[in-house]
Amino acid sequence: MKIVVCVKAVPDPKEADKIKIDPETKTLMRGDVPFATNPLDKHAVEAALQLKRTLGGFVTILSMGPPAAANVVKECLALGADRGILLSDRAFAGADAFATAYTLAKGIEKIGRFDLVLCGMASSDGATEWVGPQIATFLNIPVVTMVNEIHHESGDEWQVKTAWEDGYRRVAVQLPALLTVARELNEPKNLSFSGIIKARKKEITAWSLAELDVAPDSVGFEGSPTVVGDFGTLQTARNVEFLEGTAEEKAKLLVDILTESGAIG
Ligand SMILES: Cc1cc2nc3c(=O)[nH]c(=O)nc-3n(C[C@H](O)[C@H](O)[C@H](O)COP(=O)(O)OP(=O)(O)OC[C@H]3O[C@@H](n4cnc5c(N)ncnc54)[C@H](O)[C@@H]3O)c2cc1C
């Protein structure tokens, strides 16, 4: 079974406050914030590795990002994936979800035959949840989102369970297909020392614009139909007021203040 897992290198959430937005281009300026694996993508990697353990197969990690994103790919190789591919080129920078999905779909086409593409349900930074379904559209394959159980029926027939408003639904899906996964799907494993050693021998291939054979204006900022009109900083202020009196008096005062401010009717 050939599985491709799309893994996004996101700014380390612990240092996310250092990220700025370029006022001219309205794109992100990451500065020197280190990358981390997008949390939900760890569940996608674990799902792929579980399928490989039970059914056999080959797991390819695919990521689009700057050269430093290779560390995230390396981490997935240390967890047990077989091959890593990093789509990296200045031309890919500034991509919106559409251009990101297009570039990743072109990467998957170049990888060749595949049975399953796994994505996280959302990234921790952009969080549009569009990339998975858009990749599936470009590849012309079925997509099921927010998957929290995967069952193999027979042959290419699979059944998946997804969260659905106040319940769930079971969906029959035929491979090749793309699934976006939810965190309930599994518990990702931690890195092991032996995994890290084995990963040293595994290959990470870097593909640039030329290798993907796509037009420069169909990727990156140029290929992004999303237009950021404007952005601003949310001004928040807090007033602290200590209420005096007995519990009853304080409760009455609180109701008066909330009524006056319009918070309650
Ligand atoms: C006008 C505009 C300019 C932008 N400029 C920049 C910029 O300069 N720099 C920047 O970093 N971001 C930029 N962004 C954000 C960028 O659009 C998103 O990071 C990117 O398109 C992915 O969308 P998302 O994070 O919402 O993914 P989601 O759809 O929430 O992600 C779902 C899943 O898709 C997969 N996935 C998503 N992205 C990747 C990836 N790169 N590689 C592998 N798998 C992936 C993962 O499996 C992930 O869990 C810009 C956005 C806009 C609208």
Side-chain angles (χ1 to χ4, degrees), residues 6-8 27-28 30 38 41 62-64 94-97 100 104 119-123 125-132 226 228:
C6 296
V7 174
K8 184 177 185 185
T27 56
L28 299 182
R30 286 207 172 93
N38 180 46
D41 300 353
L62 178 66
S63 187
M64 183 188 92
D96 67 1
T100 300
L104 290 169
C119 289
M121 197 179 92
S123 70
D125 56 350
T128 61
E129 302 184 20
W130 292 341
V131 171
T226 314
V228 179

Side-chain angles (χ1 to χ4, degrees), residues 98-258:
F98 183 86
T100 300
Y102 178 71
T103 312
L104 290 169
K106 285 291 174 189
I108 294 168
E109 277 174 7
K110 188 172 165 72
I111 289 168
R113 192 184 80 77
F114 63 89
D115 301 295
L116 184 63
V117 180
L118 293 174
C119 289
M121 197 179 92
S123 70
S124 62
D125 56 350
T128 61
E129 302 184 20
W130 292 341
V131 171
Q134 282 181 338
I135 294 174
T137 306
F138 285 125
L139 296 175
N140 200 19
I141 55 172
V143 56
V144 187
T145 56
M146 297 192 280
V147 168
N148 53 32
E149 273 181 32
I150 302 176
H151 300 285
H152 180 221
E153 298 289 298
S154 62
D156 285 339
E157 300 289 334
W158 292 66
Q159 201 179 85
V160 296
K161 189 175 153 190
T162 72
W164 185 246
E165 293 177 358
D166 52 356
Y168 65 86
R169 59 182 177 159
R170 289 193 187 280
V171 183
V173 60
Q174 187 149 18
L175 302 194
L178 186 147
L179 308 178
T180 79
V181 310
R183 64 172 48 81
E184 293 76 21
L185 179 63
N186 55 39
E187 194 57 50
K189 294 213 171 28
N190 290 325
L191 284 174
S192 68
F193 183 68
S194 64
I196 295 170
I197 300 293
K198 279 186 201 152
R200 286 193 188 155
K201 291 196 190 132
K202 293 180 186 170
E203 180 196 354
I204 298 185
T205 313
W207 285 339
S208 64
L209 182 79
E211 269 110 3
L212 281 196
D213 195 24
V214 290
D217 61 359
S218 61
V219 294
F221 190 74
E222 287 288 304
S224 298
T226 314
V227 176
V228 179
D230 204 359
F231 63 89
T233 310
L234 196 63
Q235 299 295 341
T236 52
R238 288 181 181 182
N239 288 327
V240 180
E241 194 178 334
F242 291 98
L243 305 180
E244 305 287 342
T246 63
E248 257 181 31
E249 286 165 347
K250 283 195 277 194
K252 187 178 175 318
L253 261 174
L254 184 61
V255 171
D256 289 347
I257 292 169
L258 291 176

